[in-house]
């Protein structure tokens, strides 16, 4: 399975689909399905039954998954950028970097 450009905790922007232009923080990444859940993006209505946590039940809004191909990482300058991988000189490990600025993404 190929590595993804998106990780949990990244700030990303949606570049395609109904939520194009929205940005948020990645909450969860499903590597097998190549989908990510982004905070405040792709909200869907979920019907819930009454339970101990929610005694009235009803309809709640929650985030749904977005395909990672529709997301771009936002770098330190605040603009979406493509990401690449290179070997870090100090540690010898593979790190992600911004193709726009060349800076290493945490």
């Amino acid at each position: 399975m190929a590595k993804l450009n998106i990780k949990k905790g990244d700030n990303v922007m949606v570049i395609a689909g109904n939520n194009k232009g929205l940005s948020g923080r990645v909450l969860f990444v499903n590597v097998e399905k190549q989908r990510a859940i982004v905070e405040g993006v792709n909200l869907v209505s979920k019907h819930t039954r009454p339970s101990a946590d929610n005694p009235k039940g009803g309809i709640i809004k929650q985030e749904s998954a977005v395909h990672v191909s529709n997301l771009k990482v936002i770098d330190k300058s605040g603009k979406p950028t493509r990401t690449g991988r290179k070997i870090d000189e100090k540690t010898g490990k593979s790190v992600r970097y911004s193709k726009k600025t060349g800076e290493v993404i945490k």
Side-chain angles (χ1 to χ4, degrees):
M1 183 76 42
K3 288 192 176 184
L4 300 178
N5 297 327
I6 308 293
K7 285 186 177 180
K8 179 180 175 180
D10 284 346
N11 284 326
V12 296
M13 179 177 279
V14 181
I15 59 169
N18 293 338
N19 297 294
K20 182 177 181 177
L22 294 178
S23 59
R25 190 170 48 89
V26 175
L27 302 174
F28 173 77
V29 177
N30 186 338
V31 179
E32 291 175 0
K33 293 185 178 180
Q34 295 193 347
R35 296 180 83 77
I37 295 178
V38 183
E39 191 174 44
V41 174
N42 198 20
L43 293 174
V44 295
S45 298
K46 181 179 179 187
H47 298 260
T48 58
R49 303 188 104 191
S51 65
D53 295 338
N54 190 3
K56 288 193 86 171
I59 301 170
I60 60 169
K61 292 274 192 183
Q62 70 179 32
E63 293 94 355
S64 183
V66 180
H67 198 271
V68 293
S69 66
N70 296 331
L71 301 174
K72 270 193 177 179
V73 176
I74 297 175
D75 62 1
K76 293 177 184 170
S77 67
K79 295 184 178 178
T81 181
R82 294 181 301 141
T83 57
R85 291 188 176 272
K86 64 181 178 181
I87 304 297
D88 189 21
E89 297 87 30
K90 298 173 189 166
T91 61
K93 293 186 176 183
S94 177
V95 293
R96 296 181 303 158
Y97 73 98
S98 165
K99 290 203 172 183
K100 196 172 269 188
T101 61
E103 294 179 2
V104 173
I105 299 171
K106 131 192 121 66

